[in-house]
Amino acid sequence: MLAVLAVLIFFMFRNSRKRQSDARNLQAKVQPGAKVMTNFGVFGTILSIDEDESQVLLETSPGTVLTVHRQTIARVVEPAEVDTTTEVGHDDVEGEPEFGERVDDTPTDESPDTKKSDD
């Protein structure tokens, strides 16, 4: 029983240190000019930071400036790397739909469907 308690306490301290380290890294990245996302999902660019009042001026779109608390900055948005190399494997078949892709089930025959009447 004591061993389980010791392991539980160990993981609690480990997770606490990890969260503190992540918070320090985030605060180091939060500086004017950084593109960020807030806790409530608003993306913008930091214009200025007021350390005394813990306020951040955030420009969400040209001409729209929000004042938010510094702690609402959830993460710094870094540009995604674009993979310019496209690999063509043997599984890629021309005209075959990808998994989950919707296809149009209409017939592609050039001749129209006509019924012949029984006269």
Side-chain angles (χ1 to χ4, degrees), residues 74-93:
R75 66 182 174 110
V76 176
V77 179
E78 295 168 354
E81 294 181 15
V82 177
D83 187 18
T84 57
T85 61
T86 55
E87 297 178 13
V88 178
H90 59 82
D91 293 337
D92 294 337
V93 178

Side-chain angles (χ1 to χ4, degrees), residues 59-110:
E59 183 177 31
T60 57
S61 62
T64 305
V65 179
L66 303 175
T67 303
V68 296
H69 195 274
R70 184 181 179 121
Q71 290 180 346
T72 62
I73 304 297
R75 66 182 174 110
V76 176
V77 179
E78 295 168 354
E81 294 181 15
V82 177
D83 187 18
T84 57
T85 61
T86 55
E87 297 178 13
V88 178
H90 59 82
D91 293 337
D92 294 337
V93 178
E94 186 69 31
E96 287 292 317
E98 300 236 356
F99 179 75
E101 181 180 355
R102 293 184 181 233
V103 293
D104 190 16
D105 291 336
T106 58
T108 57
D109 295 341
E110 297 297 323

Side-chain angles (χ1 to χ4, degrees), residues 11-82:
F11 280 115
M12 285 178 19
F13 280 117
R14 184 172 155 230
N15 287 340
S16 175
R17 286 184 184 162
K18 185 177 179 183
R19 269 187 255 122
Q20 288 174 351
S21 173
D22 290 343
R24 269 182 281 167
N25 290 338
L26 176 65
Q27 293 304 322
K29 291 180 182 179
V30 172
Q31 51 189 320
K35 294 185 185 294
V36 296
M37 183 184 84
T38 63
N39 286 338
F40 41 92
V42 174
F43 290 89
T45 305
I46 296 177
L47 296 178
S48 67
I49 300 172
D50 184 5
E51 298 289 337
D52 298 331
E53 299 290 324
S54 294
Q55 293 180 349
V56 176
L57 289 180
L58 190 68
E59 183 177 31
T60 57
S61 62
T64 305
V65 179
L66 303 175
T67 303
V68 296
H69 195 274
R70 184 181 179 121
Q71 290 180 346
T72 62
I73 304 297
R75 66 182 174 110
V76 176
V77 179
E78 295 168 354
E81 294 181 15
V82 177

